[in-house]
Amino acid sequence: MMTLLEQLPLWNHAAIRVLDIRRSTLRSRESVHGFRLPASAFLVAVTGNAKILIDGVEHIADCCYVCHAGKGATLDIIQVTEKFDYYFIFYKAVLVLPSRKELLNAYRDHNPFQMQYGFALAYPLGILSRVEQMYSYWLLDAQLERFHVRAMFHQLVYDLLQQLHAHEGTTAVQPDYVSQTIRYMEERFADPISLQDLANVLNCNERKLQRLFKAKLRIGPMEYLIQVRMNHAQGMLMNTNLPLKVIAESVGYGDSYYFSRAFKKHCGVSPLHFRQNRRISASSMSRYSIGSHPILSYNDDCDNHYQQTYGGVIEMNRSKRSVLAVSLMLSLILLLSACTTGNGTGNNAGGASPTGSQSNVAASNNNTAQATQQAYPVVIKHMKGELTLEQHPSKIAVLDTKFVDQLVTLNEQPAGSVKAAADKSDFPAYLTDKLTDVKLLGTRDEPNLEAIAAMEPDLIICTEFQEKVYESLSKIAPTIMLDFNEDWRDTLVTFGKIVGNAEEATNVLEAYNEKTSKLKEELKAKLGDQTVALIRPRDEGVRIHTAGHRTGAILYNDLGLSAPQQVIDEQDTAYQVPLEALPEVGADHYFLVQDDMFKEIVEEFQQTETWKSIEAVKNNQVYDVDSNVWIAYYGPIAINMIVDRVAEIFIGTA
């Protein structure tokens, strides 16, 4: 531990600025809890008795007492038995450069401005008088007086260090940065926190903080933060009925998609599975003409969204109104169906016989239908159990936009679909020419139950985003809940079973594997070790996707592109940096994800000197890509478009 004499060269060589002087009084039984020092500080107790805790270390202040701690330390003042008067003197001290190597090493390893200690003043009168004078001058708020305060501060430090040196049994210790960080995380886990934020708050080097954490806990500070957040999330999942989106925001995840990915990675199961298996629930499923729902639990993944939306989860009062409307509509539909039953057998309504050409078409259609029907019955496993499809569903309602892509890939048409909230068009623009008479069913977060009932589907396919209305959906038609975060390949296999076209699903996957394998080799030959990054500007900064993100997985895994080290080191599916830190990512190439919602932000960023200073920008190696294709629709057609765009950019072909 650094002695007082060893501290003096650092005090001598530092540039010191007084930031603030405050005076406070606590009455008997009043207290201060969890005050985090915004800068290094001396606390000078003038009168009264209290217990002072600095990061949990006790100091008994009986009348004249002095404590010192650095930025980020947490202070508690408790057990006040009589009026307790004290001053805070906040200051900032930095080493003046250039400095000798030994000074820099001492400053790095034993920073005296962060040290924690406390002692009773042996000769209090001179020090107390000087502190009172400093406070009086500070209140005048004039430049000359502030300059005087700075001079007096140096004298005060001299007097305090002199008494500290003479005080037996007083040990100055470096702060416990790990404990400080943990307490900060527990208090602020819902805030956006980066490693740089932690280092700034605690006035500690990022690498040092990483090293201390791993030495003490065997994990880094950001991994520990995830643990804190997941522990709080588990409590909310078990004890509340809050939607995943709300829980995600409550524990510091602005995007519920990333929250769910992080939750499953940390806990081994999805949030929905965790909630279902921690509660006692009883439910029964009805048998439908097209399929049945046995009561089974299914423990597959349940993660959330990729894209910000204007809306939110359906509120309970709206859901109740929707359920009532749906019930009334269902009654009407059943009544109309009963009136028209029996008119569809035999010849056409006019009684005329079909012509020869019509007969051939009909025969061909019958053969196709018979071939398709051979795939049934088929059992579809999903997040709510199993559903047995007895026949090909002819009117499918899908409540996620990527399912439109899946169906079109298999030469099927959805009868109705929700739209992406950030997209101006109702349905994916790249699929417009392939869609006919698709009913709009609201948005993913707010599906329109009345519209779904009105289209009379014989199958509904949803994700856990519709968990709140799943029961209502099941009353309209048999409903399959698929894992939102499931790999698109697995989803395609499931859709192949649903529509009786497993062979086409296999063909699509084989073609994709062949294409990406070939392109992977070409990209390696063309780019070598050059790195790429996938970035999405937002109001609060720039989001950078890692290989854990599903689009990142296409780039880094399927196509073998190299990621910058900073992206490799990140544990989550994405992380966010301020624009000023973007040059530190250091990628040779950037895919810039854009959409209508954040178009203006992107344009603002592109006008800044920071953006213009990025090497990839200077080299014209930043490539605009559409968020709807690259992020939102996540189906086989969109993913092949991503692969083709990469080939176009780097190889010159698609």
Side-chain angles (χ1 to χ4, degrees):
M1 187 59 59
M2 177 177 269
T3 66
L4 178 63
L5 291 177
E6 290 171 327
Q7 292 185 42
L8 290 179
L10 292 171
W11 280 100
N12 254 336
H13 206 72
I16 299 173
R17 184 161 63 98
V18 177
L19 301 176
D20 195 9
I21 301 177
R22 305 176 193 173
R23 181 173 184 175
S24 298
T25 300
L26 293 176
R27 296 183 180 84
S28 178
R29 298 186 180 179
E30 289 184 338
S31 60
V32 172
H33 291 282
F35 175 63
R36 190 173 300 280
L37 297 183
S40 298
F42 287 101
L43 183 153
V44 182
V46 179
T47 60
N49 299 279
K51 180 184 288 186
I52 300 173
L53 304 178
I54 303 176
D55 287 338
V57 178
E58 293 185 3
H59 298 269
I60 305 301
D62 186 0
C63 194
C64 302
Y65 196 88
V66 172
C67 292
H68 180 272
K71 178 181 178 181
T74 301
L75 190 85
D76 301 285
I77 304 175
I78 59 175
Q79 297 181 14
V80 178
T81 56
E82 57 182 90
K83 185 173 133 179
F84 185 67
D85 238 353
Y86 62 97
Y87 292 88
F88 263 128
I89 304 173
F90 295 101
Y91 72 95
K92 181 177 182 179
V94 294
L95 216 57
V96 177
L97 298 176
S99 299
R100 300 192 310 275
K101 185 177 180 180
E102 57 269 26
L103 273 179
L104 291 172
N105 291 339
Y107 179 76
R108 182 191 64 216
D109 298 329
H110 303 288
N111 185 344
F113 317 118
Q114 290 291 119
M115 282 188 171
Q116 300 176 357
Y117 49 84
F119 62 95
L121 292 170
Y123 308 101
L125 294 182
I127 287 177
L128 296 182
S129 175
R130 182 166 287 109
V131 170
E132 289 174 0
Q133 279 185 296
M134 291 172 65
Y135 180 66
S136 298
Y137 283 127
W138 188 262
L139 292 178
L140 294 175
D141 195 20
Q143 289 188 6
L144 186 61
E145 279 67 26
R146 291 289 171 93
F147 182 75
H148 192 181
V149 168
R150 179 180 176 184
M152 295 178 72
F153 179 76
H154 283 84
Q155 182 63 48
L156 175 68
V157 172
Y158 169 79
D159 291 341
L160 289 174
L161 293 180
Q162 190 177 49
Q163 290 206 35
L164 175 62
H165 182 58
H167 204 284
E168 296 182 2
T170 299
T171 303
V173 297
Q174 283 287 349
D176 185 344
Y177 287 114
V178 175
S179 297
Q180 286 186 11
T181 306
I182 289 173
R183 182 161 182 171
Y184 183 83
M185 289 176 179
E186 288 287 357
E187 294 171 353
R188 308 285 184 87
F189 64 87
D191 296 342
I193 298 174
S194 67
L195 181 61
Q196 184 180 13
D197 294 332
L198 294 173
N200 290 340
V201 166
L202 304 173
N203 200 30
C204 177
N205 179 273
E206 292 180 33
R207 291 185 179 179
K208 181 177 181 179
L209 191 59
Q210 284 269 29
R211 187 174 67 252
L212 292 172
F213 249 84
K214 290 189 176 180
K216 188 169 185 177
L217 302 177
R218 297 184 179 180
I219 61 172
M222 299 312 294
E223 290 87 348
Y224 189 90
L225 175 62
I226 291 173
Q227 289 187 6
V228 172
R229 288 172 166 171
M230 293 305 117
N231 289 341
H232 285 277
Q234 287 177 9
M236 283 187 274
L237 286 166
M238 286 191 295
N239 302 315
T240 75
N241 291 318
L242 292 172
L244 292 186
K245 180 177 173 132
V246 175
I247 293 176
E249 292 173 349
S250 300
V251 296
Y253 288 84
D255 192 321
S256 51
Y257 165 67
Y258 300 117
F259 161 68
S260 294
R261 290 291 297 266
F263 189 94
K264 184 173 184 183
K265 185 174 183 180
H266 178 77
C267 302
V269 295
S270 68
L272 181 60
H273 177 73
F274 181 90
R275 171 175 272 171
Q276 288 176 334
N277 285 270
R278 295 300 191 279
R279 296 179 173 186
I280 299 174
S281 61
S283 62
S284 59
M285 301 293 180
S286 302
R287 182 174 294 274
Y288 299 88
S289 60
I290 194 170
S292 59
H293 296 266
I295 303 173
L296 295 173
S297 64
Y298 187 63
N299 62 354
D300 209 354
D301 187 16
C302 157
D303 296 335
N304 278 328
H305 195 33
Y306 43 83
Q307 177 165 285
Q308 297 188 10
T309 59
Y310 297 108
V313 183
I314 298 175
E315 297 179 2
M316 292 304 293
N317 59 343
R318 171 166 179 165
S319 296
K320 289 175 181 176
R321 292 197 303 270
S322 299
V323 171
L324 179 59
V326 169
S327 298
L328 293 172
M329 189 166 291
L330 282 174
S331 300
L332 179 60
I333 290 169
L334 291 173
L335 180 61
L336 293 174
S337 298
C339 294
T340 57
T341 300
N343 292 334
T345 58
N347 293 334
N348 58 22
S353 301
T355 64
S357 60
Q358 289 174 330
S359 299
N360 293 335
V361 171
S364 176
N365 290 339
N366 287 336
N367 291 335
T368 302
Q370 289 175 2
T372 301
Q373 188 57 35
Q374 291 177 359
Y376 301 94
V378 63
V379 176
I380 306 298
K381 291 184 177 181
H382 64 111
M383 297 183 72
K384 291 294 186 179
E386 293 181 352
L387 174 67
T388 301
L389 295 176
E390 303 291 347
Q391 60 188 28
H392 179 272
S394 58
K395 296 180 70 174
I396 302 176
V398 293
L399 304 189
D400 197 287
T401 52
K402 60 178 175 285
F403 294 159
V404 178
D405 190 312
Q406 295 275 358
L407 284 172
V408 172
T409 298
L410 299 174
N411 304 312
E412 294 281 340
Q413 287 277 314
S417 171
V418 294
K419 64 169 289 184
D423 194 353
K424 289 182 177 179
S425 60
D426 288 342
F427 304 114
Y430 67 95
L431 295 177
T432 301
D433 61 340
K434 300 178 177 65
L435 298 176
T436 56
D437 193 27
V438 180
K439 305 298 183 185
L440 182 60
L441 305 178
T443 66
R444 184 214 61 189
D445 287 319
E446 292 196 25
N448 187 329
L449 296 182
E450 292 89 343
I452 296 171
M455 65 163 281
E456 301 180 41
D458 50 16
L459 181 65
I460 300 170
I461 305 176
C462 69
T463 72
E464 60 271 30
F465 270 87
Q466 290 83 41
E467 170 69 25
K468 287 289 184 182
V469 294
Y470 180 80
E471 184 177 344
S472 299
L473 294 172
S474 298
K475 291 178 180 178
I476 298 173
T479 303
I480 292 172
M481 180 182 285
L482 297 182
D483 172 10
F484 177 86
N485 254 346
E486 185 177 56
D487 188 280
W488 67 273
R489 287 165 269 239
D490 296 330
T491 304
L492 183 63
V493 170
T494 300
F495 268 87
K497 294 178 181 178
I498 291 172
V499 300
N501 200 352
E503 183 179 354
E504 180 62 20
T506 301
N507 293 339
V508 170
L509 295 177
E510 289 177 351
Y512 177 80
N513 291 336
E514 183 178 346
K515 176 196 284 189
T516 53
S517 296
K518 179 183 178 183
L519 181 56
K520 189 173 186 178
E521 294 179 2
E522 294 175 347
L523 290 169
K524 183 63 178 175
K526 181 71 176 289
L527 298 177
D529 294 328
Q530 294 182 52
T531 58
V532 303
L534 180 64
I535 60 174
R536 301 176 68 194
R538 288 290 180 266
D539 290 320
E540 63 277 12
V542 180
R543 182 177 296 172
I544 303 169
H545 294 288
T546 69
H549 182 268
R550 53 195 189 182
T551 307
I554 296 168
L555 301 177
Y556 299 126
N557 298 337
D558 296 358
L559 298 180
L561 295 172
S562 298
Q565 189 60 47
Q566 189 183 103
V567 176
I568 294 173
D569 292 341
E570 180 60 38
Q571 299 296 313
D572 209 341
T573 57
Y575 65 103
Q576 193 154 286
V577 299
L579 175 62
E580 292 72 21
L582 184 58
E584 299 173 11
V585 176
D588 298 301
H589 305 265
Y590 289 94
F591 295 111
L592 175 62
V593 180
Q594 298 195 59
D595 54 43
D596 294 330
M597 192 182 297
F598 293 97
K599 182 179 180 181
E600 292 182 2
I601 293 295
V602 173
E603 292 174 351
E604 288 177 13
F605 281 3
Q606 290 174 330
Q607 298 305 312
T608 64
E609 291 304 317
T610 299
W611 179 270
K612 295 175 183 178
S613 70
I614 298 171
E615 287 300 315
V617 174
K618 295 178 182 178
N619 297 330
N620 293 319
Q621 293 177 169
V622 177
Y623 317 106
D624 294 345
V625 296
D626 180 9
S627 71
N628 289 320
V629 175
W630 280 59
I631 303 294
Y633 293 131
Y634 196 61
I637 298 173
I639 287 166
N640 273 279
M641 291 174 68
I642 294 173
V643 173
D644 292 343
R645 177 78 169 121
V646 173
E648 177 188 2
I649 290 170
F650 293 123
I651 308 300
T653 59

